Amino acid sequence: QKEVEQDPGPLSVPEGAIVSLNCTYSNSAFQYFMWYRQYSRKGPELLMYTYSSGNKEDGRFTAQVDKSSKYISLFIRDSQPSDSATYLCAMTDFYTGTASKLTFGTGTRLQVTL
Amino acid sequence: GAGVSQSPRYKVAKRGQDVALRCDPISGHVSLFWYQQALGQGPEFLTYFQNEAQLDKSGLPSDRFFAERPEGSVSTLKIQRTQQEDSAVYLCASIPTGLAGPSSYNEQFFGPGTRLTVL
């Protein structure tokens, strides 16, 4: 079983819909929780990150982390066709003095239709 | 502005060939990661450099994979005797510093990747 589980989709929604994406994980050492967006044939780009549990909002995007349930979510409000991409959750712990590798989910492919 | 660049963008190799994939990180970035992304999967960690030191190579799938960063800037990932299962996108990411702390997550900036196809 993978450390991070994510439904690969695809997920198709109409423009303007609220999108909910989520991941579960098993490693309780994870401290940082990220959402990356990846367009076709491009590298991942960071959307949001959260340290430990809690919510974070940035424009149309809201990230939630529930460490007690080992469950993270990304909500996209008023979805746009330009939001069509693969959304990857990623997690890491941290070690003092070194950077830490990211552990990714499979990615959920999102299609926002007109 | 200049981001992380990778070359070549696409590489087709015959099974058994050796390949070399190049990563140019953002200037001045201390830390560099390599990831492998198979079709329909998320990226998986291969190896990590802090300056020229390879601090973690636990993700390299076999001894056919070798990475180097001799002067602490450009990095090369080499795959010897390529196999079909090596077909994937190889992503490079860099970070400004080697340190991470509770309130200052260091974003990994990804390049566009090299898509390797082994026939």
Side-chain angles (χ1 to χ4, degrees):
Chain A
Q1 189 172 354
K2 292 189 173 186
E3 277 190 294
V4 180
E5 298 282 354
Q6 183 177 10
D7 187 335
L11 179 62
S12 183
V13 301
E15 184 180 8
I18 296 175
V19 176
S20 173
L21 305 168
N22 53 73
C23 293
T24 59
Y25 64 96
S26 57
N27 187 347
S28 57
F30 288 142
Q31 298 280 354
Y32 291 92
F33 304 90
M34 281 69 69
W35 286 95
Y36 279 82
R37 178 173 61 195
Q38 186 173 28
Y39 291 112
S40 181
R41 302 192 182 267
K42 302 284 188 184
E45 56 177 347
L46 182 67
L47 271 177
M48 299 181 70
Y49 81 89
T50 307
Y51 171 66
S52 193
S53 282
N55 294 358
K56 192 172 186 178
E57 189 173 317
D58 184 1
R60 296 185 295 112
F61 298 89
T62 299
Q64 291 184 348
V65 174
D66 182 348
K67 288 189 72 179
S68 63
S69 302
K70 295 190 177 66
Y71 186 89
I72 73 169
S73 301
L74 177 71
F75 298 95
I76 307 174
R77 290 183 297 281
D78 187 24
S79 55
Q80 304 294 311
S82 58
D83 295 329
S84 298
T86 296
Y87 290 79
L88 295 153
C89 63
M91 308 176 190
T92 186
D93 52 11
F94 68 90
Y95 301 99
T96 302
T98 66
S100 290
K101 65 187 180 187
L102 298 177
T103 302
F104 285 88
T106 306
T108 300
R109 193 155 63 91
L110 172 66
Q111 181 75 36
V112 181
T113 58
L114 290 169
Chain B
V4 178
S5 61
Q6 294 187 245
S7 60
R9 290 294 315 277
Y10 302 92
K11 177 69 179 177
V12 178
K14 291 183 180 177
R15 187 167 155 249
Q17 258 187 319
D18 297 349
V19 298
L21 312 179
R22 176 186 169 110
C23 172
D24 283 78
I26 295 171
S27 179
H29 278 200
V30 168
S31 298
L32 185 148
F33 292 79
W34 283 98
Y35 293 86
Q36 179 191 59
Q37 186 173 22
L39 188 64
Q41 301 295 315
E44 292 197 357
F45 169 77
L46 293 176
T47 187
Y48 157 59
F49 290 86
Q50 187 169 323
N51 295 305
E52 69 278 4
Q54 190 175 19
L55 298 187
D56 187 347
K57 54 181 181 180
S58 61
L60 295 176
S62 76
D63 58 8
R64 296 186 295 104
F65 286 72
F66 171 77
E68 60 183 6
R69 194 185 184 200
E71 296 177 0
S73 54
V74 171
S75 179
T76 304
L77 177 67
K78 297 179 180 177
I79 309 173
Q80 297 177 322
R81 306 181 303 281
T82 51
Q83 304 293 315
Q84 283 188 322
E85 63 263 28
D86 299 335
S87 296
V89 174
Y90 290 85
L91 294 163
C92 174
S94 68
I95 302 177
T97 83
L99 302 178
S103 60
S104 57
Y105 168 69
N106 288 318
E107 176 182 352
Q108 293 192 21
F109 293 87
F110 283 84
T114 295
R115 182 176 297 271
L116 173 65
T117 303
V118 181
L119 302 176

mmCIF file of all heavy atoms in Angstrom, chain B residues 16-52:
data_model
loop_
_atom_site.group_PDB
_atom_site.id
_atom_site.type_symbol
_atom_site.label_atom_id
_atom_site.label_comp_id
_atom_site.label_asym_id
_atom_site.label_seq_id
_atom_site.Cartn_x
_atom_site.Cartn_y
_atom_site.Cartn_z
ATOM 1 N N GLY B 16 18.994 -1.065 -23.807
ATOM 2 C CA GLY B 16 20.413 -1.366 -23.671
ATOM 3 C C GLY B 16 21.319 -0.157 -23.855
ATOM 4 O O GLY B 16 22.501 -0.203 -23.499
ATOM 5 N N GLN B 17 20.760 0.930 -24.400
ATOM 6 C CA GLN B 17 21.544 2.149 -24.582
ATOM 7 C C GLN B 17 21.727 2.867 -23.262
ATOM 8 O O GLN B 17 20.906 2.728 -22.348
ATOM 9 C CB GLN B 17 20.787 3.101 -25.527
ATOM 10 C CG GLN B 17 21.282 3.132 -26.940
ATOM 11 C CD GLN B 17 20.590 4.211 -27.761
ATOM 12 O OE1 GLN B 17 19.376 4.413 -27.637
ATOM 13 N NE2 GLN B 17 21.344 4.888 -28.604
ATOM 14 N N ASP B 18 22.797 3.670 -23.165
ATOM 15 C CA ASP B 18 22.993 4.555 -22.025
ATOM 16 C C ASP B 18 22.436 5.937 -22.379
ATOM 17 O O ASP B 18 22.542 6.382 -23.520
ATOM 18 C CB ASP B 18 24.479 4.693 -21.709
ATOM 19 C CG ASP B 18 25.122 3.387 -21.292
ATOM 20 O OD1 ASP B 18 24.389 2.396 -21.041
ATOM 21 O OD2 ASP B 18 26.366 3.338 -21.219
ATOM 22 N N VAL B 19 21.835 6.616 -21.374
ATOM 23 C CA VAL B 19 21.332 7.967 -21.597
ATOM 24 C C VAL B 19 21.811 8.879 -20.480
ATOM 25 O O VAL B 19 22.108 8.431 -19.369
ATOM 26 C CB VAL B 19 19.782 8.006 -21.673
ATOM 27 C CG1 VAL B 19 19.279 7.179 -22.853
ATOM 28 C CG2 VAL B 19 19.152 7.553 -20.379
ATOM 29 N N ALA B 20 21.890 10.174 -20.809
ATOM 30 C CA ALA B 20 22.274 11.192 -19.828
ATOM 31 C C ALA B 20 21.271 12.329 -19.899
ATOM 32 O O ALA B 20 21.017 12.871 -20.981
ATOM 33 C CB ALA B 20 23.683 11.701 -20.096
ATOM 34 N N LEU B 21 20.693 12.658 -18.769
ATOM 35 C CA LEU B 21 19.671 13.704 -18.691
ATOM 36 C C LEU B 21 20.234 14.852 -17.860
ATOM 37 O O LEU B 21 20.794 14.628 -16.777
ATOM 38 C CB LEU B 21 18.389 13.153 -18.039
ATOM 39 C CG LEU B 21 17.889 11.799 -18.588
ATOM 40 C CD1 LEU B 21 16.638 11.363 -17.838
ATOM 41 C CD2 LEU B 21 17.650 11.855 -20.070
ATOM 42 N N ARG B 22 20.029 16.072 -18.361
ATOM 43 C CA ARG B 22 20.662 17.224 -17.731
ATOM 44 C C ARG B 22 19.645 18.109 -17.042
ATOM 45 O O ARG B 22 18.534 18.297 -17.550
ATOM 46 C CB ARG B 22 21.402 18.030 -18.786
ATOM 47 C CG ARG B 22 22.052 19.325 -18.302
ATOM 48 C CD ARG B 22 22.642 20.113 -19.442
ATOM 49 N NE ARG B 22 23.032 21.448 -19.036
ATOM 50 C CZ ARG B 22 24.289 21.860 -18.930
ATOM 51 N NH1 ARG B 22 25.292 21.046 -19.216
ATOM 52 N NH2 ARG B 22 24.562 23.114 -18.564
ATOM 53 N N CYS B 23 20.035 18.665 -15.907
ATOM 54 C CA CYS B 23 19.189 19.616 -15.170
ATOM 55 C C CYS B 23 20.013 20.864 -14.865
ATOM 56 O O CYS B 23 21.095 20.778 -14.269
ATOM 57 C CB CYS B 23 18.686 18.997 -13.873
ATOM 58 S SG CYS B 23 17.827 20.184 -12.800
ATOM 59 N N ASP B 24 19.469 22.025 -15.257
ATOM 60 C CA ASP B 24 20.051 23.306 -14.882
ATOM 61 C C ASP B 24 19.144 23.951 -13.841
ATOM 62 O O ASP B 24 18.070 24.454 -14.197
ATOM 63 C CB ASP B 24 20.180 24.224 -16.096
ATOM 64 C CG ASP B 24 21.337 23.859 -16.988
ATOM 65 O OD1 ASP B 24 21.199 22.890 -17.769
ATOM 66 O OD2 ASP B 24 22.377 24.525 -16.890
ATOM 67 N N PRO B 25 19.511 23.942 -12.576
ATOM 68 C CA PRO B 25 18.632 24.525 -11.552
ATOM 69 C C PRO B 25 18.630 26.052 -11.636
ATOM 70 O O PRO B 25 19.422 26.648 -12.363
ATOM 71 C CB PRO B 25 19.271 24.053 -10.250
ATOM 72 C CG PRO B 25 20.729 23.936 -10.585
ATOM 73 C CD PRO B 25 20.775 23.467 -12.016
ATOM 74 N N ILE B 26 17.751 26.644 -10.869
ATOM 75 C CA ILE B 26 17.737 28.098 -10.755
ATOM 76 C C ILE B 26 19.063 28.532 -10.141
ATOM 77 O O ILE B 26 19.530 27.911 -9.165
ATOM 78 C CB ILE B 26 16.537 28.566 -9.924
ATOM 79 C CG1 ILE B 26 15.232 28.224 -10.676
ATOM 80 C CG2 ILE B 26 16.615 30.052 -9.629
ATOM 81 C CD1 ILE B 26 13.969 28.436 -9.875
ATOM 82 N N SER B 27 19.649 29.583 -10.695
ATOM 83 C CA SER B 27 20.962 30.026 -10.251
ATOM 84 C C SER B 27 20.991 30.294 -8.747
ATOM 85 O O SER B 27 20.113 30.972 -8.201
ATOM 86 C CB SER B 27 21.333 31.313 -11.002
ATOM 87 O OG SER B 27 22.598 31.794 -10.572
ATOM 88 N N GLY B 28 21.975 29.721 -8.090
ATOM 89 C CA GLY B 28 22.134 29.939 -6.656
ATOM 90 C C GLY B 28 21.373 28.972 -5.774
ATOM 91 O O GLY B 28 21.556 28.965 -4.550
ATOM 92 N N HIS B 29 20.529 28.138 -6.371
ATOM 93 C CA HIS B 29 19.784 27.168 -5.561
ATOM 94 C C HIS B 29 20.728 26.088 -5.048
ATOM 95 O O HIS B 29 21.461 25.478 -5.808
ATOM 96 C CB HIS B 29 18.639 26.567 -6.365
ATOM 97 C CG HIS B 29 17.425 27.429 -6.386
ATOM 98 N ND1 HIS B 29 16.171 26.942 -6.694
ATOM 99 C CD2 HIS B 29 17.262 28.743 -6.114
ATOM 100 C CE1 HIS B 29 15.292 27.936 -6.606
ATOM 101 N NE2 HIS B 29 15.940 29.031 -6.272
ATOM 102 N N VAL B 30 20.624 25.840 -3.754
ATOM 103 C CA VAL B 30 21.551 24.940 -3.080
ATOM 104 C C VAL B 30 21.156 23.482 -3.264
ATOM 105 O O VAL B 30 21.974 22.611 -3.510
ATOM 106 C CB VAL B 30 21.613 25.293 -1.579
ATOM 107 C CG1 VAL B 30 22.317 24.214 -0.787
ATOM 108 C CG2 VAL B 30 22.286 26.645 -1.373
ATOM 109 N N SER B 31 19.870 23.210 -3.126
ATOM 110 C CA SER B 31 19.396 21.822 -3.116
ATOM 111 C C SER B 31 18.770 21.454 -4.445
ATOM 112 O O SER B 31 18.109 22.272 -5.087
ATOM 113 C CB SER B 31 18.371 21.620 -1.996
ATOM 114 O OG SER B 31 18.956 21.856 -0.741
ATOM 115 N N LEU B 32 18.978 20.197 -4.839
ATOM 116 C CA LEU B 32 18.466 19.714 -6.122
ATOM 117 C C LEU B 32 17.952 18.301 -5.937
ATOM 118 O O LEU B 32 18.603 17.465 -5.295
ATOM 119 C CB LEU B 32 19.577 19.762 -7.169
ATOM 120 C CG LEU B 32 19.221 19.399 -8.612
ATOM 121 C CD1 LEU B 32 20.086 20.195 -9.588
ATOM 122 C CD2 LEU B 32 19.355 17.919 -8.875
ATOM 123 N N PHE B 33 16.769 18.052 -6.469
ATOM 124 C CA PHE B 33 16.130 16.736 -6.394
ATOM 125 C C PHE B 33 15.883 16.200 -7.800
ATOM 126 O O PHE B 33 15.593 16.961 -8.717
ATOM 127 C CB PHE B 33 14.758 16.834 -5.707
ATOM 128 C CG PHE B 33 14.807 17.173 -4.248
ATOM 129 C CD1 PHE B 33 14.996 18.469 -3.820
ATOM 130 C CD2 PHE B 33 14.642 16.177 -3.291
ATOM 131 C CE1 PHE B 33 15.029 18.785 -2.470
ATOM 132 C CE2 PHE B 33 14.675 16.485 -1.940
ATOM 133 C CZ PHE B 33 14.869 17.791 -1.532
ATOM 134 N N TRP B 34 15.932 14.888 -7.923
ATOM 135 C CA TRP B 34 15.460 14.190 -9.120
ATOM 136 C C TRP B 34 14.277 13.310 -8.722
ATOM 137 O O TRP B 34 14.301 12.630 -7.684
ATOM 138 C CB TRP B 34 16.549 13.307 -9.710
ATOM 139 C CG TRP B 34 17.611 14.028 -10.481
ATOM 140 C CD1 TRP B 34 18.844 14.414 -10.038
ATOM 141 C CD2 TRP B 34 17.559 14.421 -11.854
ATOM 142 N NE1 TRP B 34 19.549 15.022 -11.046
ATOM 143 C CE2 TRP B 34 18.778 15.039 -12.179
ATOM 144 C CE3 TRP B 34 16.592 14.301 -12.869
ATOM 145 C CZ2 TRP B 34 19.076 15.540 -13.448
ATOM 146 C CZ3 TRP B 34 16.868 14.797 -14.130
ATOM 147 C CH2 TRP B 34 18.105 15.411 -14.407
ATOM 148 N N TYR B 35 13.257 13.333 -9.581
ATOM 149 C CA TYR B 35 12.073 12.491 -9.408
ATOM 150 C C TYR B 35 11.791 11.760 -10.717
ATOM 151 O O TYR B 35 12.104 12.258 -11.800
ATOM 152 C CB TYR B 35 10.830 13.316 -9.049
ATOM 153 C CG TYR B 35 10.867 13.995 -7.696
ATOM 154 C CD1 TYR B 35 11.462 15.249 -7.535
ATOM 155 C CD2 TYR B 35 10.289 13.389 -6.585
ATOM 156 C CE1 TYR B 35 11.484 15.879 -6.301
ATOM 157 C CE2 TYR B 35 10.301 14.018 -5.337
ATOM 158 C CZ TYR B 35 10.898 15.257 -5.207
ATOM 159 O OH TYR B 35 10.920 15.871 -3.979
ATOM 160 N N GLN B 36 11.140 10.615 -10.598
ATOM 161 C CA GLN B 36 10.706 9.840 -11.764
ATOM 162 C C GLN B 36 9.189 9.790 -11.748
ATOM 163 O O GLN B 36 8.589 9.435 -10.729
ATOM 164 C CB GLN B 36 11.276 8.420 -11.673
ATOM 165 C CG GLN B 36 10.876 7.503 -12.827
ATOM 166 C CD GLN B 36 11.250 6.056 -12.537
ATOM 167 O OE1 GLN B 36 10.809 5.466 -11.562
ATOM 168 N NE2 GLN B 36 12.073 5.470 -13.394
ATOM 169 N N GLN B 37 8.561 10.147 -12.870
ATOM 170 C CA GLN B 37 7.105 10.129 -12.946
ATOM 171 C C GLN B 37 6.668 9.191 -14.069
ATOM 172 O O GLN B 37 6.776 9.522 -15.253
ATOM 173 C CB GLN B 37 6.539 11.531 -13.173
ATOM 174 C CG GLN B 37 5.023 11.587 -13.108
ATOM 175 C CD GLN B 37 4.472 13.005 -13.174
ATOM 176 O OE1 GLN B 37 5.124 13.924 -13.658
ATOM 177 N NE2 GLN B 37 3.260 13.198 -12.661
ATOM 178 N N ALA B 38 6.183 8.020 -13.699
ATOM 179 C CA ALA B 38 5.661 7.073 -14.676
ATOM 180 C C ALA B 38 4.294 7.550 -15.157
ATOM 181 O O ALA B 38 3.628 8.346 -14.485
ATOM 182 C CB ALA B 38 5.560 5.680 -14.053
ATOM 183 N N LEU B 39 3.857 7.061 -16.284
ATOM 184 C CA LEU B 39 2.591 7.481 -16.877
ATOM 185 C C LEU B 39 1.431 7.245 -15.916
ATOM 186 O O LEU B 39 1.280 6.145 -15.380
ATOM 187 C CB LEU B 39 2.362 6.707 -18.175
ATOM 188 C CG LEU B 39 1.167 7.147 -19.025
ATOM 189 C CD1 LEU B 39 1.383 8.571 -19.527
ATOM 190 C CD2 LEU B 39 0.977 6.190 -20.197
ATOM 191 N N GLY B 40 0.664 8.291 -15.658
ATOM 192 C CA GLY B 40 -0.503 8.165 -14.795
ATOM 193 C C GLY B 40 -0.192 8.083 -13.315
ATOM 194 O O GLY B 40 -1.078 7.767 -12.506
ATOM 195 N N GLN B 41 1.039 8.353 -12.952
ATOM 196 C CA GLN B 41 1.461 8.286 -11.551
ATOM 197 C C GLN B 41 1.999 9.629 -11.083
ATOM 198 O O GLN B 41 2.300 10.507 -11.896
ATOM 199 C CB GLN B 41 2.556 7.230 -11.381
ATOM 200 C CG GLN B 41 2.152 5.836 -11.805
ATOM 201 C CD GLN B 41 1.059 5.263 -10.943
ATOM 202 O OE1 GLN B 41 1.088 5.351 -9.722
ATOM 203 N NE2 GLN B 41 0.046 4.684 -11.571
ATOM 204 N N GLY B 42 2.129 9.769 -9.771
ATOM 205 C CA GLY B 42 2.787 10.940 -9.230
ATOM 206 C C GLY B 42 4.294 10.781 -9.272
ATOM 207 O O GLY B 42 4.802 9.657 -9.411
ATOM 208 N N PRO B 43 5.025 11.882 -9.164
ATOM 209 C CA PRO B 43 6.494 11.780 -9.139
ATOM 210 C C PRO B 43 6.969 10.969 -7.937
ATOM 211 O O PRO B 43 6.386 11.044 -6.856
ATOM 212 C CB PRO B 43 6.941 13.245 -9.019
ATOM 213 C CG PRO B 43 5.781 14.062 -9.514
ATOM 214 C CD PRO B 43 4.565 13.289 -9.125
ATOM 215 N N GLU B 44 8.046 10.214 -8.160
ATOM 216 C CA GLU B 44 8.655 9.452 -7.075
ATOM 217 C C GLU B 44 10.112 9.876 -6.929
ATOM 218 O O GLU B 44 10.852 9.988 -7.915
ATOM 219 C CB GLU B 44 8.550 7.950 -7.338
ATOM 220 C CG GLU B 44 7.125 7.434 -7.265
ATOM 221 C CD GLU B 44 7.036 5.928 -7.108
ATOM 222 O OE1 GLU B 44 8.089 5.260 -7.110
ATOM 223 O OE2 GLU B 44 5.909 5.421 -7.008
ATOM 224 N N PHE B 45 10.516 10.067 -5.694
ATOM 225 C CA PHE B 45 11.850 10.550 -5.372
ATOM 226 C C PHE B 45 12.925 9.580 -5.851
ATOM 227 O O PHE B 45 12.811 8.365 -5.682
ATOM 228 C CB PHE B 45 11.959 10.734 -3.856
ATOM 229 C CG PHE B 45 13.346 10.970 -3.351
ATOM 230 C CD1 PHE B 45 13.948 12.211 -3.482
ATOM 231 C CD2 PHE B 45 14.065 9.949 -2.746
ATOM 232 C CE1 PHE B 45 15.229 12.434 -3.009
ATOM 233 C CE2 PHE B 45 15.349 10.155 -2.267
ATOM 234 C CZ PHE B 45 15.928 11.406 -2.398
ATOM 235 N N LEU B 46 13.977 10.143 -6.447
ATOM 236 C CA LEU B 46 15.142 9.347 -6.831
ATOM 237 C C LEU B 46 16.355 9.675 -5.963
ATOM 238 O O LEU B 46 16.928 8.800 -5.324
ATOM 239 C CB LEU B 46 15.491 9.592 -8.301
ATOM 240 C CG LEU B 46 14.491 9.090 -9.355
ATOM 241 C CD1 LEU B 46 14.941 9.496 -10.749
ATOM 242 C CD2 LEU B 46 14.336 7.578 -9.266
ATOM 243 N N THR B 47 16.753 10.971 -5.963
ATOM 244 C CA THR B 47 17.965 11.336 -5.266
ATOM 245 C C THR B 47 17.970 12.823 -4.964
ATOM 246 O O THR B 47 17.212 13.595 -5.555
ATOM 247 C CB THR B 47 19.204 10.924 -6.084
ATOM 248 O OG1 THR B 47 20.387 11.145 -5.307
ATOM 249 C CG2 THR B 47 19.307 11.724 -7.390
ATOM 250 N N TYR B 48 18.850 13.224 -4.017
ATOM 251 C CA TYR B 48 18.888 14.597 -3.534
ATOM 252 C C TYR B 48 20.329 15.047 -3.346
ATOM 253 O O TYR B 48 21.151 14.298 -2.801
ATOM 254 C CB TYR B 48 18.108 14.669 -2.216
ATOM 255 C CG TYR B 48 18.458 15.821 -1.304
ATOM 256 C CD1 TYR B 48 18.328 17.133 -1.731
ATOM 257 C CD2 TYR B 48 18.900 15.586 -0.008
ATOM 258 C CE1 TYR B 48 18.636 18.184 -0.888
ATOM 259 C CE2 TYR B 48 19.208 16.630 0.845
ATOM 260 C CZ TYR B 48 19.076 17.930 0.406
ATOM 261 O OH TYR B 48 19.376 18.976 1.235
ATOM 262 N N PHE B 49 20.620 16.276 -3.798
ATOM 263 C CA PHE B 49 21.929 16.901 -3.626
ATOM 264 C C PHE B 49 21.790 18.183 -2.811
ATOM 265 O O PHE B 49 20.843 18.949 -2.999
ATOM 266 C CB PHE B 49 22.540 17.284 -4.985
ATOM 267 C CG PHE B 49 22.961 16.122 -5.822
ATOM 268 C CD1 PHE B 49 22.060 15.481 -6.657
ATOM 269 C CD2 PHE B 49 24.277 15.664 -5.800
ATOM 270 C CE1 PHE B 49 22.444 14.420 -7.445
ATOM 271 C CE2 PHE B 49 24.677 14.594 -6.584
ATOM 272 C CZ PHE B 49 23.753 13.974 -7.402
ATOM 273 N N GLN B 50 22.751 18.383 -1.942
ATOM 274 C CA GLN B 50 22.922 19.699 -1.331
ATOM 275 C C GLN B 50 24.295 20.181 -1.784
ATOM 276 O O GLN B 50 25.324 19.616 -1.422
ATOM 277 C CB GLN B 50 22.841 19.629 0.185
ATOM 278 C CG GLN B 50 22.838 21.006 0.843
ATOM 279 C CD GLN B 50 22.499 20.939 2.321
ATOM 280 O OE1 GLN B 50 21.667 20.152 2.746
ATOM 281 N NE2 GLN B 50 23.157 21.751 3.118
ATOM 282 N N ASN B 51 24.301 21.224 -2.586
ATOM 283 C CA ASN B 51 25.508 21.623 -3.318
ATOM 284 C C ASN B 51 26.013 20.416 -4.111
ATOM 285 O O ASN B 51 25.240 19.800 -4.834
ATOM 286 C CB ASN B 51 26.539 22.196 -2.359
ATOM 287 C CG ASN B 51 26.063 23.477 -1.708
ATOM 288 O OD1 ASN B 51 25.700 24.430 -2.396
ATOM 289 N ND2 ASN B 51 26.033 23.510 -0.380
ATOM 290 N N GLU B 52 27.274 20.042 -3.980
ATOM 291 C CA GLU B 52 27.778 18.917 -4.774
ATOM 292 C C GLU B 52 27.626 17.579 -4.059
ATOM 293 O O GLU B 52 27.888 16.523 -4.640
ATOM 294 C CB GLU B 52 29.252 19.156 -5.137
ATOM 295 C CG GLU B 52 30.221 19.099 -3.977
ATOM 296 C CD GLU B 52 30.285 20.400 -3.201
ATOM 297 O OE1 GLU B 52 29.520 21.330 -3.524
ATOM 298 O OE2 GLU B 52 31.115 20.480 -2.276
#
